[in-house]
Amino acid sequence: MTSRSELVADAAIALLVDRGMRGLTHRAVDEAAGLAPGSTSNIARTRLALLELTLTRLTELDDAALLADLPVPPSLTRDQLTEIVAHALDVQLTEARRRALARYELALEANRRPELRAIYDRAGRRFREPLIALVAAAGSPDPVRHARRLVTFHEGVLFDALAGAGDVPSLDDLRRATADFLAGILPETGLVT
């Protein structure tokens, strides 16, 4: 992505959070980004192109924040996996909160736009695949199924904190909730023997 594309996408993310899907227009992005009228249209001609650009940027930012330094060791304790998941939740609820909110806006829009759904699903797989590897390293007898359950848990915590009850759990609360969840799906030791 060029710096100008990033500027447009970042402004679009902010508009999604502040104004919702209806507030995301080419003109509004131009204004929010401090660009001359028509600049956003030069980068993303259609609304779908603007949504695609925004989702691509969200994926890049989340990738850098959540996956960039995430090694997948050959084995992992349940406690180590708990820490990884709790930390990822904490990042998404604090420093990446606005991106998570924008992602929810785009998720709902993807249900109405098959072209966007394909991009959204591809982005989701980018985050699920390392999670499957982590769950496998922690001793899961069925890593694909357990990774899906972990995604469901993770998304449930995020949605509840961001759009539901509005209570943002502390990192310690996230650790406890994650440990409770993982205790139900992983072996006691959490290690493959």
Side-chain angles (χ1 to χ4, degrees):
M1 226 181 241
T2 67
S3 60
R4 187 161 260 229
S5 295
E6 288 175 358
L7 178 65
V8 165
D10 290 344
I13 291 167
L15 286 167
L16 281 172
V17 175
D18 296 337
R19 300 182 190 174
M21 194 59 67
R22 285 184 162 185
L24 180 63
T25 65
H26 285 77
R27 182 179 300 173
V29 173
D30 286 340
E31 291 171 7
L35 297 171
S39 297
T40 297
S41 291
N42 289 332
I43 293 167
R45 281 249 174 255
T46 64
R47 181 164 178 78
L48 180 60
L50 180 57
L51 294 172
E52 289 174 358
L53 179 76
T54 305
L55 183 54
T56 299
R57 179 67 172 153
L58 275 172
T59 302
E60 287 176 0
L61 292 169
D62 284 342
D63 184 38
L66 301 171
L67 297 179
D69 297 322
L70 184 65
V72 179
S75 66
L76 192 65
T77 67
R78 193 167 63 199
D79 288 345
Q80 289 169 320
L81 182 57
T82 295
E83 190 60 32
I84 290 168
V85 172
H87 175 72
L89 278 165
D90 188 58
V91 166
Q92 288 184 291
L93 289 169
T94 56
E95 62 193 68
R97 178 183 181 89
R98 291 177 61 80
R99 287 197 311 266
L101 289 167
R103 186 170 51 85
Y104 284 138
E105 290 282 345
L106 288 167
L108 292 172
E109 186 68 13
N111 285 323
R112 293 180 284 277
R113 292 180 178 260
E115 312 89 355
L116 188 60
R117 170 58 45 195
I119 296 164
Y120 191 86
D121 290 347
R122 198 168 41 251
R125 280 192 299 278
R126 178 161 174 71
F127 293 94
R128 281 186 174 94
E129 289 167 5
L131 189 56
I132 292 168
L134 286 170
V135 171
S140 168
D142 191 348
V144 172
R145 182 170 59 92
H146 290 154
R148 283 187 182 149
R149 286 186 178 173
L150 186 52
V151 167
T152 302
F153 164 78
H154 186 105
E155 289 297 324
V157 170
L158 282 177
F159 189 84
D160 183 61
L162 297 174
D167 296 328
V168 177
S170 69
L171 181 55
D172 285 339
D173 290 338
L174 293 170
R175 283 185 183 113
R176 284 191 294 276
T178 303
D180 290 347
F181 176 80
L182 290 176
I185 64 170
L186 293 177
E188 180 74 27
T189 62
L191 288 172
V192 178
T193 57

